Amino acid sequence: MPNILVIDDRPDILRALEAMLRAHGFDAQTADGGRKGLALLSKAQFDAVIVDIFMPDLDGLATIRAIRASQPNLRIIAISGHPVTEPGVGKPNFLELAVKLGASAALRKPFLPVQLLVTLERALDGTLIGGSARQVSSANGSLALADVSCA
């Protein structure tokens, strides 16, 4: 059964994601910040990481960079509740930036449990790997997925 690390600064998100993952047959561990997540990654083997982008101690983008430096093949799903900025507006699209930094996929909160489960399954079986970067949104705008190339 795949072992998933969830990194988020919100205890309610950690509890909800851990419970959902366990209910669907995953082993799940949580960390309430980027530094604690990186510490867990140095001590245990994980199949994938779900990481929030905006956290106070070490943000998700820095966490993704650190994970990529130490474990280049680990699957990462970035999550964020911050709005996705349209091209040309002037603010960066942090979900897109997370993918450029090495996340296998990115989801905008709030997302449905099935959206996370499908994204996680696709990341774990490798179907998110080898495509060109793209972003797909659901009808309600709550989902952003990106396929990335891995060298």
Side-chain angles (χ1 to χ4, degrees):
M1 128 179 16
N3 193 19
I4 311 301
L5 175 61
V6 181
I7 306 171
D8 199 303
D9 60 318
R10 290 187 47 193
D12 58 330
I13 299 288
L14 290 173
R15 284 190 305 272
L17 292 180
E18 180 181 25
M20 185 212 39
L21 290 167
R22 288 183 185 275
H24 286 88
F26 294 95
D27 283 332
Q29 294 186 46
T30 63
D32 64 0
R35 292 185 203 291
K36 288 183 182 176
L38 292 175
L40 277 174
L41 280 166
S42 71
K43 296 175 186 173
Q45 179 74 27
F46 293 94
D47 299 294
V49 176
I50 299 168
V51 60
D52 187 32
I53 293 177
F54 293 96
M55 299 180 290
D57 77 325
L58 182 66
D59 70 56
L61 298 177
T63 303
I64 290 168
R65 281 190 206 105
I67 294 169
R68 277 291 156 253
S70 64
Q71 298 186 43
N73 296 318
L74 185 62
R75 304 299 190 243
I76 303 169
I77 298 172
I79 59 175
S80 178
H82 286 261
V84 175
T85 305
E86 296 298 321
V89 173
K91 289 185 179 180
N93 179 330
F94 291 102
L95 293 172
E96 199 172 89
L97 184 55
V99 170
K100 288 180 182 175
L101 290 173
S104 304
L107 289 170
R108 181 172 175 224
K109 297 178 196 172
F111 47 80
L112 298 173
V114 70
Q115 292 171 315
L116 177 61
L117 292 169
V118 167
T119 302
L120 185 56
E121 289 290 341
R122 288 182 65 204
L124 290 171
D125 73 14
T127 59
L128 283 177
I129 305 305
S132 59
R134 68 183 172 88
Q135 185 168 331
V136 180
S137 295
S138 68
N140 67 4
S142 66
L143 172 66
L145 293 177
D147 293 346
V148 296
S149 298
C150 285

